[in-house]
Amino acid sequence: MTYNLIGPISALATFLGIWAGHVLVREIEKHSASILPPSFGFAILGIGLLVSTFFTSSLILSAPMGIIGMTALWDAYEFFRQEKRIKHGHAPANPRNPRHIKILKAHTTATTLDLLNRNPIGKQVNAEEALQLITLEEHTQ
Amino acid sequence: MNWFGFLVGLVTFVVIGLGFVWVIRGERYLGYLWWPYFMALGIVLVIISFFFQNTWASVLTGVIGGSFIWGATEFKEQAIRAELGWFPFNAKKIRPPFEHIIKKWKVPHL
């Protein structure tokens, strides 16, 4: 019986691609004074990998390159989505980042608090309860 | 010119896109406590992908399996987003088998 490693390798590339993108976009967006350079960098990386796949005859190399290339290209766009989350208060603003300070001034919805940093409680909460829940867990941790 | 890698990337893009949809719907109707089942399904798919002789069958099951494992780790945050009103909240969820055991486990979150 022969095995086909291309499936597990594609799975790993998919998982690691999404994970790395998820963590990197959030961290870089948090600390960057401008999101254009990192977004551009991810776009170049993504396009570079995708173009390289055209010249790669090895299928087992080509598959993860296509997967990581496409996720990197998506991450380039995610920087803009992440900034929008900051404006809406759906992701915490960094008070030490000048760009985020501007967002905090211009958007009343923006906050430095991470409202997702808690466990689900199984019911809808209002703004006040949402705040209490994250501070409560901070004290118990 | 080899189109294989680019097409794999394109397919992955669609699979991840669908991931957004099933995580949102899955959390709404089933709840985040179903996460071990989605993770197990993902792991099973990755194992199955290992045994496919056909390249595309192997790639597809692998990519779908990988996205299921990722999605399982997104369930908890999605549950909180719904509780905060960022997504529609459904109180009448279908409870998972062995819920009392799952509740004792730490929910993976990346």
Side-chain angles (χ1 to χ4, degrees):
Chain A
M1 180 140 194
T2 52
Y3 305 111
N4 208 347
L5 259 180
I6 202 163
I9 285 177
S10 301
L12 198 68
T14 305
F15 184 81
L16 293 181
I18 308 175
W19 185 8
H22 192 73
V23 174
L24 288 176
V25 168
R26 281 192 298 194
E27 276 306 303
I28 296 170
E29 196 283 336
K30 189 176 172 184
H31 296 106
S32 301
S34 166
I35 55 171
L36 288 175
S39 174
F40 192 69
F42 272 81
I44 294 289
L45 174 73
I47 292 166
L49 278 168
L50 287 173
V51 169
S52 307
T53 63
F54 289 120
F55 307 100
T56 308
S57 51
S58 158
L59 299 186
I60 213 144
L61 264 180
S62 187
M65 280 161 67
I67 293 167
I68 301 290
M70 197 61 87
T71 47
L73 199 53
W74 175 263
D75 292 336
Y77 171 57
E78 269 294 330
F79 280 98
F80 296 91
R81 295 193 4 134
Q82 181 65 12
E83 190 180 60
K84 217 178 232 176
R85 288 187 200 106
I86 306 284
K87 287 176 181 168
H88 290 161
H90 289 190
N94 172 13
R96 281 184 291 274
N97 183 332
R99 181 172 48 85
H100 282 195
I101 294 170
K102 272 186 206 157
I103 290 174
L104 283 163
K105 277 182 190 151
H107 299 263
T108 49
T109 48
T111 171
T112 54
L113 300 166
D114 184 2
L115 293 170
L116 296 174
N117 189 23
R118 64 171 174 91
N119 284 308
I121 56 164
K123 65 180 184 74
Q124 265 196 297
V125 295
N126 60 35
E128 202 180 318
E129 290 166 324
L131 285 179
Q132 276 171 357
L133 282 165
I134 52 166
T135 43
L136 264 178
E137 285 202 8
E138 260 174 29
H139 288 299
T140 51
Q141 267 166 10
Chain B
M1 283 272 279
N2 295 300
W3 282 88
F4 178 73
F6 182 77
L7 291 175
V8 170
L10 218 55
V11 165
T12 305
F13 181 77
V14 174
V15 170
I16 297 175
L18 289 173
F20 280 85
V21 179
W22 72 255
V23 167
I24 292 166
R25 300 271 161 169
E27 192 287 321
R28 189 180 307 163
Y29 298 112
L30 301 172
Y32 78 101
L33 290 170
W34 282 81
W35 70 264
Y37 296 97
F38 283 93
M39 185 165 282
L41 179 63
I43 293 168
V44 168
L45 284 172
V46 176
I47 294 169
I48 289 173
S49 77
F50 194 45
F51 294 97
F52 272 119
Q53 297 306 301
N54 180 284
T55 301
W56 270 108
S58 185
V59 167
L60 261 178
T61 23
V63 168
I64 294 171
S67 88
F68 267 113
I69 297 171
W70 170 261
T73 71
E74 266 296 299
F75 262 117
K76 192 186 99 169
E77 271 202 357
Q78 183 57 32
I80 303 165
R81 290 188 195 107
E83 288 178 5
L84 291 168
W86 301 351
F87 286 86
F89 181 82
N90 168 36
K92 287 184 183 146
K93 292 181 168 64
I94 301 165
R95 296 172 133 192
F98 307 107
E99 187 186 19
H100 58 288
I101 299 171
I102 296 169
K103 271 186 176 167
K104 288 179 192 156
W105 296 347
K106 193 176 157 26
V107 192
H109 168 62
L110 301 167

